[in-house]
Amino acid sequence: MNIGIIGTGAVGSPLARNMAAAGHNVKVTNTRPFAELTEKAQSLGTSPATLQDVVKDVDIVFISVPFGAIAKFPQGLFRSLPDQVIVVDTGNYYPFRDEKIDALEQGQVESVWVSQQLGRPITKAFNNLLSETIAVGGKPEGTPDRIAASITGDDQHAKQVIAGLANELGFDVVDGGTLADSWRQQPGTPAYCTELTAVELTAALDDAVPGKAPQIRDQIIGEHMQRESLPSRQEMVIVNRARQLGKSSDL
Ligand SMILES: NC(=O)c1ccc[n+]([C@@H]2O[C@H](COP(=O)([O-])OP(=O)(O)OC[C@H]3O[C@@H](n4cnc5c(N)ncnc54)[C@H](OP(=O)(O)O)[C@@H]3O)[C@@H](O)[C@H]2O)c1
């Protein structure tokens, strides 16, 4: 497939590298001068593109940028795309990092807000896996402890296509419901970056409690910020799982 990725950071890079390695034709963009972007794109096995071009002539566009950048995309960038182009939001709202967004502070579902900003339907995927999990956590289909990703959206066909890609990248998939249901996989929920199998993830999505996640999200970030060094993938998973049980992780 032809795939465009906006953002070559912690999430955009492993998505780009692994999808290109799986045989897809991937182009990427970021905010750097074109020479620097070209170097980055080549290191990922992909091609460089401007923001205007990265969404053109593709089957799928991934958005892997901080939330603050989404509201500042050029007007019409997404509105003019053909309906069949699948737009995937990998994002999570972190008020300490992103500009504070009133609608999200008041509880609007994050990807519903993104969909409104872009002026088109979107699919949410890969937001509930850590970047390192995406990079190196994939396993062959049928592996008993294979990690699962939750995919939400209102377009069943789009979800099936993204599920196929997730499988190629080494992950099982759970259908997390409609875009409005995607609050169940936002930061601070049991499904968020806890590296669960499909059976466990299905239960975790069910266990999410409306309104509870932001407080847990902020507690976890506070815990990470008190550390002298960045936590490893394994440490983050331990903290995320422990917080769901209302425990300190004792790391
Ligand atoms: N990190 C994780 O483990 C993780 C896991 C799942 C989901 N997420 C979510 O995925 C999203 C991206 O996270 P990340 O960790 O990949 O962020 P990141 O490492 O900070 O990378 C962000 C990327 O977006 C690019 N960018 C920013 N504004 C842009 C614009 N206007 N046009 C084009 N490119 C732009 C940046 O370009 P430059 O390179 O030029 O700065 C950078 O490549 C966030 O919402 C995050 O919460 C993160």
Side-chain angles (χ1 to χ4, degrees), residues 3-249:
I3 298 171
I5 303 183
I6 306 176
T8 58
V11 171
S13 283
L15 281 176
R17 183 185 287 111
N18 293 352
M19 291 192 289
H24 298 287
N25 185 19
V26 181
K27 53 184 172 177
V28 297
T29 198
N30 60 23
T31 66
R32 309 297 162 120
F34 206 75
E36 208 179 314
L37 167 64
T38 302
E39 218 171 286
K40 177 73 182 175
Q42 286 171 350
S43 77
L44 299 169
T46 65
S47 318
T50 62
L51 183 60
Q52 303 292 342
D53 284 344
V54 83
V55 302
K56 281 193 190 140
D57 303 321
V58 292
D59 304 297
I60 306 172
V61 180
F62 281 88
I63 302 175
S64 277
V65 301
F67 263 54
I70 291 174
K72 295 182 191 148
F73 282 154
Q75 280 285 322
L77 183 67
F78 285 89
R79 286 175 208 270
S80 54
L81 291 191
D83 287 348
Q84 68 270 20
V85 175
I86 299 169
V87 177
V88 182
D89 172 28
T90 73
N92 296 300
Y93 173 60
Y94 279 101
F96 86 96
R97 177 199 66 188
D98 301 317
E99 290 161 34
K100 260 197 175 171
I101 298 168
D102 287 343
L104 302 182
E105 292 294 320
Q106 284 155 26
Q108 185 175 26
V109 177
E110 292 169 13
S111 285
V112 172
W113 178 86
V114 173
S115 178
Q116 287 176 355
Q117 301 306 305
L118 304 184
R120 59 169 295 135
I122 60 168
T123 301
K124 187 179 189 92
F126 296 108
N127 80 297
N128 80 313
L129 299 180
L130 292 167
S131 57
E132 206 184 331
T133 313
I134 296 169
V136 297
K139 295 179 184 152
E141 198 170 0
T143 308
D145 61 346
R146 199 179 196 220
I147 297 166
S150 177
I151 301 180
T152 55
D154 303 329
D155 178 340
Q156 214 51 39
H157 169 70
K159 287 199 281 190
Q160 276 166 10
V161 172
I162 303 307
L165 263 184
N167 186 39
E168 285 179 30
L169 299 192
F171 301 101
D172 281 343
V173 164
V174 169
D175 185 337
T178 66
L179 202 64
D181 293 323
S182 64
W183 64 271
R184 292 179 181 276
Q185 65 193 72
Q186 289 180 180
T189 61
Y192 183 74
C193 297
T194 38
E195 297 202 350
L196 304 176
T197 64
V199 172
E200 293 165 340
L201 181 56
T202 302
L205 290 164
D206 279 350
D207 285 347
V209 176
K212 198 174 163 192
Q215 194 194 351
I216 296 177
R217 172 199 68 198
D218 293 345
Q219 278 173 345
I220 291 171
I221 288 297
E223 213 167 307
H224 290 329
M225 281 179 164
Q226 278 173 7
R227 295 169 51 93
E228 283 173 11
S229 58
L230 283 176
S232 67
R233 166 187 167 195
Q234 200 179 17
E235 288 168 336
M236 280 196 256
V237 171
I238 290 170
V239 170
N240 289 347
R241 289 181 179 179
R243 274 290 169 210
Q244 295 307 326
L245 303 171
K247 289 192 211 158
S248 162
S249 57

